[in-house]
Amino acid sequence: MNISKHTAKLKLLYVECDEETVASTLHIIKDLFLEVVVAKSTIEAIELYKKYFSDTHHYYDIILSNVDMPNMNGLKMCKEIKEFNKNQVIAVTTTSSDSKYYLDAIGIGVDNFILKPILSLESIKHTLIDLAKKTILQNKLNNKEFLLRQKKKIIDKHVYFTSSDINGKITDISKAYLDFTGYKMEEVIGKNHSIFRNQDLDNNIVQNLWDTILKDRIWVGELKNNKSSGEEYWINTTITPLYNEENVKIGYTSIKEDITNQKRLEELSIKDPLTMLYNKRNFDYFIKKELKNSIWKKENFALLLIEIDYYTEFKNTYGNAKADNALIKISSILNKYTDSKTYNIFKISEEEFAVIILNKDDAFIENFSYDLLNSIEALKIDNCQSNVSKYLTATIGGVNLDTILYNISNNNLYNIADANLNQAKLNGRNNILLKIDHSYVEKLKNIDRVTKLPNRIALLQDISVLQEEAMLVLLHINQLNSLKDIYGDKYATDLVIQKSKELLYVLKEEEASLYSLNLNEFAILVTNKKLFEKYFSLLIHSILMPNDEDENSISTNILADFTAGVSYGILNVFNHADIVLQDAIISKENYKIYSSNQTAKQLQKDNLDRLSIYKNALHKGKIIPYFQPIIDTLDNSIIKYEALARLETDDGEIISPYYFLDSAKEDKTFEFFTRQMMQKVFNVFEKNDVNMSINLTYENITSKTMLEYIKNRLNKYGGDGITFEIVESEDILDYKRIKEFISMVKEFGCKISIDDFGSGYSNFTNITQLDIDYIKLDGSLIEKINIDLNIKHMIKGIISYSKNANIKTIAEYVSTKELDDSVRELGIDYIQGYYYGEPKSADSYGLL
């Protein structure tokens, strides 16, 4: 048995007064230890022990001491050393006649006894190994305790944390958080965290906090608190359940981060520095959120745009100082009239304000608007440049939206109010115009708010009526997402407007139609075949080339050039253009043209390229969900959002799913793609009180590991509000597996939808045996509902069957008013498509 492998790194203090015994013992043990130090008296031993600790901050690993020592016996020395270091490993040497000391030695904590004389290594080897093992173990424990003490000291000094019992009563708090808040330990221990809470904190936040932690989930959020002095501060808090060794919850720990400066900076970023009213950035966020709430509550939502009449002329005549003073006075009047939670006021440009009023009738809004105008004029701010009064006045254009009758976006609502404002100015200023025209609302759905160009809905409608071959060019503005992140929304918006003007300058209205599809993309549709060559030449030599201004400037506009996808034909002309556009973006080419007669080798190469891009995005976590609303035909409310996969490139560009989805399905990583997508959807689901649809394929459902993952996610997040959409296709070989999956997820409260129903293959017999909640009619059928009578009859049959079976129907790809009217007429329950909202990021729909 190799003793030295246990003892070679240890130091021994050997206490013995008899020189002959020392010599014989050292002969046996000295080569076993890293160092052996001899003390010939207990007093010397104590001095050596303390000096060694003073010099090294370490203890001797083992003490071996004779019991019978002069002046102070060995046991008394051991007791004193144990008082200095209770964990010291000690063995004593004794003779059989010393048995009277055994009981005292055990009481002191001596670890072992060695009989004297020590005649051979064999006689003590087991004892030495036991002592060495205990020493090594004790050293590890000491190191852990030391590290824990150090960590606790660091945490106590630098980290804001509290611990509480299961009722929220504080049981521990760091010194750092006490110092930060100004409280004393005795003032907070045993108290509820409400001792810190600011009275302005929304009770819904507190309710959400408790709802979350009572379900044994981690809660992360921002809280507004007060210090003992009354000073307000903001913290970002993470609250985690705390369990004992039996895995029983005994309380909670809360780690906090001071974000007061960040919140103050945020406040400055969303407020106008002159008037301290909320600015355009906050207005865009607020109107989107509150309009959604009003639609859900079926309440009126009023928007008033207030523009100061002849403000530019006033400013030029009276100077900046008086202009600023006038704006401050007007903002004070607006604040006076909007001093409750029913009103919200914003400064959205230098001379324009916006007021949002919730749940008031038309008469109230009209009276309020006239009172506002009269109050502004009553300030009697002289304005010799005005044609309507000798004082500074204002004009109001607005709308009081009945959300039961109209379900429109915030962009369209703004456009209506803006149109009314412009008309009110044409009518003579210093007046109001509040109206909503149904035909104008319908027209707005086909107009892009930013560029005022026809939008995606208008393009798809124009494509649907093509009779002859057309040329379609899709243009993607490169780097726009990055520029938006760096320079802000206004910069990006201004850039898009500038690009639209450049394109309109190049195109002739009677020859080509220009559309704005979203903030990143335009489309050019040419329907005269004789002009194809002309517009292809314009594309290559003008649109895709930087202009002189870009070439001679250091402006970042040069980064925002175009990439193009071009296709020709009638059927699928949009999808074909989009496919080659994505190819061009990925390959960083200026443009690509769709070709229907590609060689097998080229198709194989393209597929490998797509697979490479897909795998890169998957490994970097850049498979992201976009969301599209599904609308109830009864009240136009949003019943849920379908999560649709997108791929984000290294350049920040967003790629459509059919660019990479086929490649993903052929690859063994498809399950990991689904998992990544699903987790990101659940992250959004957890933060919002909205329902979500998640797509699954037959491959997902028949994968044992995927099923375990789904069950795990549902255990964590719950299934109430989740719909799984299963694609109905020839891939389904075993409907028994589908039944088992449906049964499993329904235990969690999930719903089931059959997707792409009626596309090419639908086994009605098997579908009728499944416990499903929704049938989603395939978009290719919906698009042809007004041009193919047979398809219309088939859809009628599906709807009739569904109603009898108590299954709800969903029509997708509804992109125009005509399609919307048709599916409603047939009795469809829910609608999805660009007519009501394109797929967008969670943030765009206010879900983050």
Side-chain angles (χ1 to χ4, degrees):
M1 184 180 294
N2 187 358
I3 302 174
S4 61
K5 77 173 185 179
H6 300 285
T7 59
K9 294 182 179 180
L10 305 181
K11 292 185 178 182
L12 174 73
L13 177 60
Y14 179 35
V15 187
E16 175 61 63
C17 58
D18 184 75
E19 291 186 3
E20 185 176 341
T21 301
V22 170
S24 63
T25 303
L26 287 178
H27 179 72
I28 295 171
I29 68 172
K30 68 178 181 179
D31 294 332
L32 299 176
F33 292 91
L34 177 66
E35 183 180 354
V36 177
V37 177
V38 177
K40 295 184 179 180
S41 71
T42 51
I43 294 173
E44 181 187 4
I46 291 172
E47 290 175 351
L48 283 171
Y49 189 86
K50 291 183 177 180
K51 185 176 186 305
Y52 181 68
F53 179 77
S54 176
D55 292 342
T56 66
H57 296 289
H58 293 285
Y59 301 105
Y60 285 105
D61 297 299
I62 300 174
I63 293 178
L64 178 62
S65 176
N66 184 14
V67 173
D68 190 15
M69 296 286 290
N71 298 324
M72 178 192 297
N73 71 30
L75 291 184
K76 188 174 181 181
M77 177 204 71
C78 291
K79 183 178 180 181
E80 189 169 329
I81 286 176
K82 280 284 189 178
E83 289 173 353
F84 190 74
N85 174 18
K86 65 179 180 178
N87 296 319
Q88 180 62 58
V89 175
I90 300 175
V92 294
T93 58
T94 180
T95 64
S96 57
S97 61
D98 293 331
S99 60
K100 61 183 179 181
Y101 295 121
Y102 282 10
L103 191 59
D104 289 341
I106 292 170
I108 291 168
V110 170
D111 297 283
N112 219 320
F113 302 90
I114 297 175
L115 291 176
K116 296 172 61 176
I118 302 171
L119 300 176
S120 68
L121 179 61
E122 187 67 25
S123 65
I124 61 170
K125 65 180 181 180
H126 291 294
T127 301
L128 290 179
I129 289 172
D130 287 343
L131 291 171
K133 286 182 176 179
K134 185 168 185 178
T135 299
I136 293 168
L137 178 61
Q138 189 60 57
N139 286 341
K140 288 181 178 178
L141 291 173
N142 288 340
N143 286 335
K144 286 184 177 180
E145 287 181 8
F146 175 76
L147 289 173
L148 285 172
R149 288 195 301 272
Q150 288 295 103
K151 287 179 180 178
K152 191 174 188 313
K153 187 176 180 181
I154 292 169
I155 289 171
D156 195 49
K157 184 176 180 181
H158 298 289
V159 177
Y160 299 163
F161 86 91
T162 58
S163 296
S164 64
D165 61 20
I166 56 175
N167 297 314
K169 298 293 180 64
I170 299 171
T171 57
D172 193 14
I173 183 170
S174 67
K175 184 178 184 301
Y177 195 47
L178 285 173
D179 292 343
F180 176 72
T181 59
Y183 284 96
K184 296 179 180 178
M185 180 76 73
E186 57 269 21
E187 291 178 311
V188 297
I189 296 296
K191 302 289 178 60
N192 194 283
H193 280 84
S194 59
I195 190 174
F196 302 111
R197 190 178 304 155
N198 185 283
Q199 62 181 5
D200 294 336
L201 183 66
D202 190 341
N203 287 331
N204 290 329
I205 296 176
V206 180
Q207 185 63 50
N208 174 261
L209 184 157
W210 277 105
D211 288 346
T212 302
I213 63 176
L214 287 175
K215 294 176 183 175
D216 296 342
R217 296 178 181 176
I218 296 173
W219 185 85
V220 180
E222 296 178 353
L223 297 173
K224 187 178 184 181
N225 286 345
N226 281 357
K227 296 183 179 180
S228 62
S229 63
E231 179 187 348
E232 296 180 345
Y233 67 95
W234 282 89
I235 51 172
N236 188 61
T237 305
T238 302
I239 302 176
T240 307
L242 187 64
Y243 301 91
N244 64 13
E245 292 178 352
E246 286 76 37
N247 203 33
V248 175
K249 186 169 70 173
I250 58 174
Y252 307 95
T253 58
S254 175
I255 304 296
K256 311 161 197 302
E257 177 190 5
D258 177 25
I259 56 170
T260 306
N261 288 336
Q262 174 188 326
K263 296 297 288 187
R264 287 172 180 166
L265 286 172
E266 285 177 6
E267 184 176 11
L268 289 174
S269 73
I270 61 174
K271 283 194 172 182
D272 173 62
L274 176 66
T275 63
M276 292 310 294
L277 299 176
Y278 286 110
N279 62 16
K280 180 66 163 56
R281 176 183 176 187
N282 188 257
F283 169 75
D284 290 338
Y285 167 78
F286 186 87
I287 190 173
K288 181 190 302 180
K289 177 172 71 76
E290 288 302 322
L291 179 58
K292 179 181 175 183
N293 287 338
S294 292
I295 291 172
W296 178 70
K297 295 176 183 177
K298 297 180 172 58
E299 295 178 347
N300 281 11
F301 185 96
L303 171 63
L304 304 178
L305 299 181
I306 306 159
E307 184 176 308
I308 309 304
D309 294 328
Y310 303 106
Y311 173 79
T312 302
E313 294 82 354
F314 174 85
K315 179 178 170 182
N316 292 338
T317 301
Y318 295 96
N320 291 338
K322 283 196 174 183
D324 288 348
N325 188 48
L327 291 174
I328 292 170
K329 287 181 178 180
I330 291 170
S331 65
S332 297
I333 289 292
L334 293 174
N335 271 320
K336 176 184 174 183
Y337 276 85
T338 57
D339 59 353
S340 79
K341 291 185 178 179
T342 309
Y343 306 87
N344 294 275
I345 178 172
F346 308 85
K347 188 166 182 288
I348 57 177
S349 71
E350 186 176 8
E351 67 236 54
E352 191 173 347
F353 300 84
V355 176
I356 291 174
I357 306 174
L358 305 176
N359 203 27
K360 297 292 184 181
D361 60 27
D362 291 346
F364 179 91
I365 300 299
E366 184 173 356
N367 290 333
F368 173 86
S369 299
Y370 278 117
D371 287 346
L372 210 54
L373 288 191
N374 293 334
S375 297
I376 291 172
E377 190 170 12
L379 289 170
K380 295 185 177 180
I381 302 172
D382 291 334
N383 184 14
C384 64
Q385 296 296 325
S386 174
N387 293 329
V388 294
S389 172
K390 65 178 183 177
Y391 302 120
L392 203 61
T393 60
T395 300
I396 297 179
V399 58
N400 189 26
L401 187 75
D402 184 343
T403 61
I404 297 175
L405 298 177
Y406 299 101
N407 181 8
I408 63 176
S409 70
N410 56 289
N411 289 344
N412 289 334
L413 180 71
Y414 181 91
N415 283 341
I416 294 171
D418 190 47
N420 285 342
L421 175 62
N422 290 329
Q423 186 59 51
K425 289 192 293 184
L426 292 174
N427 292 345
R429 297 181 185 260
N430 195 20
N431 61 73
I432 69 170
L433 183 61
L434 309 168
K435 70 173 185 177
I436 183 165
D437 186 314
H438 180 76
S439 62
Y440 183 68
V441 171
E442 293 303 320
K443 181 182 176 184
L444 277 174
K445 292 184 178 180
N446 295 337
I447 299 296
D448 177 71
R449 176 191 166 188
V450 173
T451 61
K452 310 300 182 185
L453 292 171
N455 62 12
R456 185 188 185 100
I457 294 173
L459 172 63
L460 294 177
Q461 192 168 2
D462 290 347
I463 290 174
S464 70
V465 297
L466 287 176
Q467 298 295 319
E468 296 181 357
E469 182 181 8
M471 172 187 182
L472 180 64
V473 180
L474 296 185
L475 295 168
H476 177 89
I477 305 177
N478 300 321
Q479 307 292 339
L480 187 65
N481 289 333
S482 300
L483 294 172
K484 181 180 176 183
D485 291 341
I486 297 170
Y487 298 106
D489 291 342
K490 185 176 185 304
Y491 178 91
T493 301
D494 290 345
L495 183 59
V496 170
I497 293 171
Q498 178 59 35
K499 292 294 181 183
S500 69
K501 291 178 180 177
E502 292 173 7
L503 291 171
L504 286 170
Y505 180 78
V506 172
L507 305 178
K508 286 189 176 182
E509 187 176 348
E510 65 274 14
E511 294 180 348
S513 301
L514 180 64
Y515 306 81
S516 182
L517 306 188
N518 52 52
L519 198 63
N520 290 77
E521 292 183 2
F522 293 96
I524 301 170
L525 183 65
V526 183
T527 56
N528 186 342
K529 197 169 184 178
K530 295 178 181 179
L531 297 172
F532 288 179
E533 186 176 343
K534 171 184 176 180
Y535 276 94
F536 183 77
S537 179
L538 280 173
L539 174 70
I540 303 304
H541 300 294
S542 179
I543 295 172
L544 296 181
M545 296 293 289
N547 59 40
D548 293 340
E549 180 182 348
D550 289 336
E551 290 177 346
N552 298 322
S553 128
I554 59 170
S555 167
T556 51
N557 284 2
I558 195 167
L559 296 173
D561 52 358
F562 286 118
T563 296
V566 185
S567 68
Y568 301 88
I570 300 176
L571 295 175
N572 298 318
V573 66
F574 182 88
N575 289 346
H576 292 162
D578 199 24
I579 287 172
V580 291
L581 174 63
Q582 313 303 323
D583 275 334
I585 292 170
I586 292 296
S587 60
K588 300 186 185 300
E589 298 181 45
N590 281 356
Y591 68 93
K592 278 200 171 184
I593 304 171
Y594 183 84
S595 174
S596 59
N597 57 350
Q598 287 180 296
T599 64
K601 185 176 181 180
Q602 183 60 44
L603 288 170
Q604 187 179 36
K605 180 182 181 301
D606 288 347
N607 188 57
L608 288 173
D609 289 342
R610 289 172 185 170
L611 187 60
S612 174
I613 297 299
Y614 152 73
K615 279 193 170 182
N616 179 60
L618 180 66
H619 294 154
K620 292 183 177 180
K622 291 190 175 184
I623 304 298
I624 58 174
Y626 265 37
F627 298 88
Q628 187 172 35
I630 298 176
I631 307 298
D632 191 328
T633 55
L634 291 178
D635 58 10
N636 287 334
S637 63
I638 297 174
I639 62 156
K640 59 183 169 181
Y641 291 88
E642 181 183 0
L644 301 162
R646 296 291 186 268
L647 181 153
E648 183 180 0
T649 70
D650 290 339
D651 295 329
E653 309 294 354
I654 305 299
I655 302 299
S656 300
Y658 45 77
Y659 174 81
F660 63 89
L661 211 50
D662 287 341
S663 298
K665 287 181 179 179
E666 293 174 11
D667 188 69
K668 292 181 180 180
T669 60
F670 182 59
E671 181 172 318
F672 299 102
F673 155 79
T674 309
R675 289 188 182 201
Q676 187 176 132
M677 175 72 179
M678 187 177 292
Q679 181 57 59
K680 291 180 179 180
V681 174
F682 273 116
N683 290 342
V684 176
F685 173 69
E686 185 182 28
K687 297 176 183 177
N688 296 276
D689 186 22
V690 295
N691 297 334
M692 297 282 181
S693 280
I694 301 173
N695 290 289
L696 289 178
T697 65
Y698 182 66
E699 296 96 323
N700 296 143
I701 292 171
T702 54
S703 165
K704 185 178 179 181
T705 53
M706 188 67 205
L707 289 178
E708 288 300 317
Y709 178 80
I710 292 171
K711 189 183 294 185
N712 177 277
R713 296 299 83 188
L714 293 176
N715 273 318
K716 178 171 182 174
Y717 297 103
D720 189 15
I722 293 293
T723 298
F724 286 108
E725 294 195 11
I726 304 171
V727 177
E728 213 292 313
S729 70
E730 294 92 335
D731 294 335
I732 299 179
L733 302 176
D734 185 356
Y735 275 86
K736 183 181 177 183
R737 305 284 291 273
I738 303 292
K739 284 184 181 180
E740 291 171 353
F741 170 77
I742 292 174
S743 177
M744 184 266 285
V745 298
K746 288 222 165 186
E747 290 181 5
F748 293 92
C750 300
K751 303 284 188 184
I752 295 294
S753 177
I754 299 299
D755 197 9
D756 292 348
F757 192 82
S759 59
Y761 171 85
S762 291
N763 192 324
F764 282 88
T765 304
N766 286 315
I767 291 297
T768 57
Q769 297 174 14
L770 300 178
D771 181 15
I772 63 174
D773 303 282
Y774 309 99
I775 285 177
K776 180 179 279 190
L777 295 162
D778 184 65
S780 63
L781 301 178
I782 298 299
E783 287 181 320
K784 298 173 184 175
I785 199 170
N786 289 329
I787 57 177
D788 191 325
L789 193 58
N790 290 328
I791 287 178
K792 192 169 187 175
H793 287 317
M794 185 180 80
I795 291 176
K796 281 182 178 181
I798 295 172
I799 294 172
S800 177
Y801 157 74
S802 300
K803 290 190 181 299
N804 290 330
N806 198 28
I807 298 171
K808 298 293 185 182
T809 50
I810 304 171
E812 61 179 352
Y813 285 28
V814 176
S815 58
T816 66
K817 183 179 186 306
E818 288 72 24
L819 287 176
D820 182 55
D821 290 340
S822 295
V823 296
R824 286 174 182 271
E825 184 182 334
L826 290 173
I828 289 282
D829 297 298
Y830 306 120
I831 298 173
Q832 179 180 357
Y834 276 83
Y835 190 62
Y836 287 100
E838 63 182 277
K840 294 181 182 178
S841 64
D843 182 55
S844 298
Y845 279 117
L847 299 176
L848 283 183

